Amino acid sequence: MKMELIQPFVNSLDAVVAEIMGCSAQISDVVMSEGSSRQRGFAARVCISGDIEGSILLELDETAAKRAAKFLTGDEGEPADDSANAAVCELSNMIVGNAVTQLNDRGFKFKVHPPETYAVDGNAKDALDTEALVLRFETPCGIVCLDVAMKYNLHRTAEPAIVTAS
């Protein structure tokens, strides 16, 4: 996985966390993983197809997810789990949307699918055939993890064959 595919998501996460949660995000750990690294909290996955294919998994621990839910709903009380799940889906929309804009500006063409609440039991493995780069961010508002599992779609990005008449 090339840095040109990852950096737009890192930049976007940093900007969205600052805007929505009012705090900075510092990368505390980076690992390669096969399958899901999801362990706790609230998570949403956004799938991408086209010149680039794969998925982005955003996970927030309970503290971070509920802080985001409070900001997005404007409620002062303790948000319900449904609100936290919806907030994580909205944050994933914002992060992926900002990153997609950067990648589109570089000429990549792809389709972004709607985010889905994501859960995996302890025995399940993701069906992705690519490794994920798992970035763990520490914030004063809680832990945020971003799994970037993307690759170039060689069939879509190949140059068209040029046919010449003889």
Side-chain angles (χ1 to χ4, degrees), residues 83-164:
S83 293
N85 276 323
V88 173
C89 284
E90 183 57 28
L91 289 178
S92 65
N93 254 341
M94 295 169 76
I95 291 167
V96 172
N98 290 341
V100 162
T101 299
Q102 294 175 42
L103 292 169
N104 278 334
D105 290 346
R106 295 181 190 163
F108 291 104
K109 304 291 181 222
F110 47 88
K111 178 179 181 183
V112 178
H113 303 272
E116 296 179 352
T117 299
Y118 183 79
V120 64
D121 67 33
N123 299 319
K125 287 191 81 172
D126 284 341
L128 294 176
D129 61 350
T130 187
E131 289 182 319
L133 181 67
V134 181
L135 300 114
R136 178 185 165 102
F137 296 83
E138 291 189 20
T139 79
C141 306
I143 303 298
V144 177
C145 292
L146 185 69
D147 294 23
V148 181
M150 294 192 320
K151 63 182 180 179
Y152 295 102
N153 183 345
L154 299 178
H155 300 289
R156 304 274 296 212
T157 58
E159 292 294 320
I162 299 174
V163 179
T164 58

